[in-house]
Amino acid sequence: MINLLYKYFFLCLSMAFWDKHVETLPRDKLEELQAKRLRDTVARAKKSVFYGPRLKGVEPTVFKKPADIGSIPFTTKNDLRANYDYGLVCVPKDEIIRLHASSGTTGKATVIFHNRHDIDTWTELLARCIVMAGAGKGDVFQNMISYGLFTGGLGFHYGAERVGMLVIPSGIGNTKRQIQLMKDFHTTVYHATPSYALHVSEEMARDGFDPKEFDLRIGFVGAEPHSEQTRKRIEDIYDMDVYNSYGMSELNGPGVAFECEEKCGMHLWEDNYILEVIDPKTCEPLSPGEEGELVVTTINREAMPILRYRTGDLAKTLEGRCACGRTHVRISRIKGRCDDMMIIRGVNVYPSQIEDVLMSFPEVATTYQIHLLRDGSLDALIVKVELYPKMFDGDLAKLKKLEADIGKAISDEVVVKPRIEFLEPGTLPRAEGKAVRVVDKRCEM
Ligand code: ADP
Ligand code: ZN
């Protein structure tokens, strides 16, 4: 009952804006603002060791509109690594107040610096995202993500405080304590990776709690690719709304793009970023709606602006205006990183495609892993899947049928026939940070 009252109370708060003027700025005004901020950013970037020579002879005044950005060279993760430590900084060192770093998922971590303006604008972006998803003052917010160098912790923390939520900076791990805090302080909103959100629900069930009994009403999940089916799974388990949160340390962290209550793509905040989508092989720009690599420029960052950053993430823009009234472009769910793509028997497969199939089977529990092996001269795709305990009741015919059904659904989706292995819940390793979904042993064989 209390749960229902809570949900009703907050329903009345929904469809809120944090900064309605900017969030609904007409497109022509938004583009004017982008062009102005781009000119300022280019002028500023020239002061850094890295961009100084690169932008030699480039006059900021040539950028009349955001589309003019195409004349600037791309910046890659390797550029950031090669110019470690202060190579991209363009303010005096004593103006810098914070250092963050990427998780280092694909190699050496990159570092990013912020001055006071940058921390403030980043905080504002998070506040926008939080309010856009219907959360705000009066909520108890549990930030179940790594604090420290990783941007997810402090980024959300500052944003949540700014909107006036009661923040529990619980960080990642110590799941029993997370559950205790959630129970004792009636957490209504949390932030986690999708894999950790599912892990917490398993731990709740093991401890005899029903995740639906808690006061949770909103979950922010991000930092790793996850499918629409996974969102639905988390929503069902907890009986709450789940919103996708996208960002990366190079572009501040979370708060780059976020879902509104329509749950129909993530709004990317174009007053702070210019988005392009390119073909990752040819680097040519793609038309709206075509899937490719996201390239993003920060246009409201002072200490360390980044121009035309090749994110390595694959997605597409969604056409049409969003029913929420915001004018900022929407992007699709992230399919994965360009280098997440597995080539199996010559076919391109993304882990998120397999995840989407698995999570549509209610018998499948919350964790899976994809193994790639060499079988003679051919690749073998093995999908290890944890099932709920009720599936291990000795009914082999039921398991055989499920194995065949999952196998067929995966090969219909990715055109490669997998071998399915069923496991009891809790068998596969759980990562506290980003989940490891693929184990590729083909080169070792
Ligand atoms: P690293 O690149 O070392 O993992 P970050 O911790 O900055 O460093 O993570 C950013 C990356 O995480 C993004 O480039 C993207 O690949 C992934 N990511 C972040 N949010 C999402 C999301 N909502 N959906 C899919 N992938 C995401
Ligand atoms: Zn919207």
Side-chain angles (χ1 to χ4, degrees):
M1 183 63 191
I2 291 182
N3 208 347
L4 270 180
L5 281 176
Y6 257 127
K7 288 187 180 174
Y8 176 73
F9 170 71
F10 284 107
L11 199 65
C12 303
L13 288 183
S14 60
M15 292 309 273
F17 290 86
W18 176 252
D19 189 347
K20 189 165 186 181
H21 171 72
V22 174
E23 291 173 48
T24 60
L25 210 56
R27 291 291 317 171
D28 55 339
K29 293 273 176 287
L30 193 50
E31 287 180 19
E32 246 173 60
L33 179 64
Q34 286 187 305
K36 182 193 173 302
R37 288 189 169 167
L38 175 60
R39 289 191 289 274
D40 293 348
T41 300
V42 169
R44 182 174 279 280
K46 279 166 165 272
K47 295 181 197 148
S48 74
V49 173
F50 172 66
Y51 284 120
R54 272 202 162 197
L55 297 174
K56 201 158 189 261
V58 177
E59 282 309 318
T61 48
V62 301
F63 302 101
K64 306 271 186 251
K65 49 185 189 311
D68 295 335
I69 200 167
S71 59
I72 301 174
F74 294 114
T75 305
T76 63
K77 223 182 207 350
N78 280 339
D79 290 327
L80 298 193
R81 288 181 181 138
N83 290 278
Y84 185 93
D85 40 13
Y86 292 96
L88 273 81
V89 169
C90 46
V91 293
K93 272 194 206 157
D94 64 0
E95 212 187 274
I96 298 172
I97 61 165
R98 179 97 66 84
L99 174 154
H100 274 291
S102 67
S103 311
T105 311
T106 57
K108 188 172 160 48
T110 53
V111 288
I112 303 293
F113 300 95
H114 303 273
N115 70 2
R116 198 165 293 285
H117 163 94
D118 301 335
I119 294 295
D120 193 59
T121 49
W122 180 24
T123 300
E124 280 291 302
L125 290 180
L126 259 317
R128 259 188 223 176
C129 298
I130 290 168
V131 170
M132 174 166 73
K137 201 168 162 54
D139 273 306
V140 177
F141 173 65
Q142 197 162 324
N143 203 14
M144 301 197 292
I145 207 128
S146 172
Y147 272 66
L149 288 174
F150 177 66
T151 52
L154 286 172
F156 257 97
H157 184 106
Y158 273 52
E161 281 188 350
R162 182 146 307 177
V163 305
M165 296 159 109
L166 189 169
V167 182
I168 307 180
S170 55
I172 189 91
N174 203 341
T175 308
K176 285 200 190 309
R177 193 175 62 170
Q178 302 274 12
I179 298 170
Q180 188 76 45
L181 287 165
M182 235 178 247
K183 196 163 154 288
D184 293 350
F185 298 98
H186 302 279
T187 302
T188 53
V189 181
Y190 74 52
H191 173 215
T193 59
S195 47
Y196 193 63
L198 289 167
H199 175 65
V200 171
S201 74
E202 290 174 336
E203 192 82 27
M204 284 174 170
R206 256 197 297 279
D207 289 354
F209 296 115
D210 176 356
K212 293 187 178 61
E213 281 166 15
F214 291 74
D215 294 306
L216 292 164
R217 60 184 201 93
I218 293 178
F220 303 134
V221 304
E224 61 189 14
H226 57 290
S227 66
E228 187 56 38
Q229 288 296 342
T230 299
R231 179 233 294 275
K232 293 207 176 95
R233 180 64 77 92
I234 303 172
E235 290 192 323
D236 287 349
I237 289 177
Y238 287 98
D239 185 22
M240 67 177 182
D241 283 300
V242 168
Y243 296 94
N244 192 0
S245 156
Y246 172 69
M248 69 191 63
S249 57
E250 293 86 341
L251 305 174
N252 289 347
V256 175
F258 210 87
E259 277 179 328
C260 67
E261 283 178 295
E262 299 296 322
K263 293 184 190 161
C264 193
M266 296 181 278
H267 288 283
L268 181 136
W269 298 120
E270 290 179 279
D271 58 322
N272 278 258
Y273 303 100
I274 293 178
L275 172 71
E276 299 166 84
V277 183
I278 62 163
D279 178 326
K281 289 211 181 75
T282 63
C283 296
E284 288 303 317
L286 294 175
S287 309
E290 280 187 283
E291 184 175 271
E293 180 178 352
L294 304 180
V295 171
V296 183
T297 298
T298 67
I299 49 170
N300 197 11
R301 206 161 68 183
E302 291 184 353
M304 186 173 161
I306 300 191
L307 304 171
R308 303 193 82 207
Y309 184 62
R310 290 194 60 175
T311 64
D313 293 329
L314 292 173
K316 58 186 174 194
T317 55
L318 303 179
E319 288 179 76
R321 281 285 282 274
C322 185
C324 75
R326 289 178 182 82
T327 48
H328 298 239
V329 68
R330 282 171 302 153
I331 57 170
S332 67
R333 200 168 272 289
I334 308 293
K335 189 171 183 185
R337 299 178 197 247
C338 303
D339 42 18
D340 282 345
M341 191 182 78
M342 309 174 282
I343 303 182
I344 312 173
R345 300 187 183 185
V347 181
N348 299 348
V349 179
Y350 285 90
S352 58
Q353 291 174 282
I354 294 178
E355 176 178 310
D356 212 32
V357 172
L358 292 176
M359 291 298 141
S360 67
F361 284 86
E363 300 87 348
V364 168
T366 57
T367 307
Y368 68 93
Q369 208 167 48
I370 298 165
H371 286 241
L372 298 172
L373 303 176
R374 190 71 74 195
D375 184 5
S377 60
L378 285 178
D379 298 333
L381 166 63
I382 294 133
V383 182
K384 301 193 178 204
V385 189
E386 291 187 4
L387 297 182
Y388 282 116
K390 63 175 189 289
M391 293 304 294
F392 298 99
D393 57 1
D395 185 346
L396 285 181
K398 187 169 68 181
L399 287 178
K400 276 266 163 248
K401 176 164 183 333
L402 182 64
E403 185 186 342
D405 288 349
I406 295 179
K408 176 165 184 330
I410 292 179
S411 63
D412 284 352
E413 173 65 29
V414 302
V415 206
V416 180
K417 206 168 163 339
R419 195 165 85 215
I420 308 294
E421 283 180 14
F422 290 144
L423 303 166
E424 289 186 28
T427 319
L428 290 168
R430 263 55 175 175
E432 291 212 328
K434 301 186 186 221
V436 178
R437 296 300 191 197
V438 181
V439 179
D440 190 345
K441 294 204 170 132
R442 287 177 295 182
C443 296
E444 297 167 21
M445 305 183 83

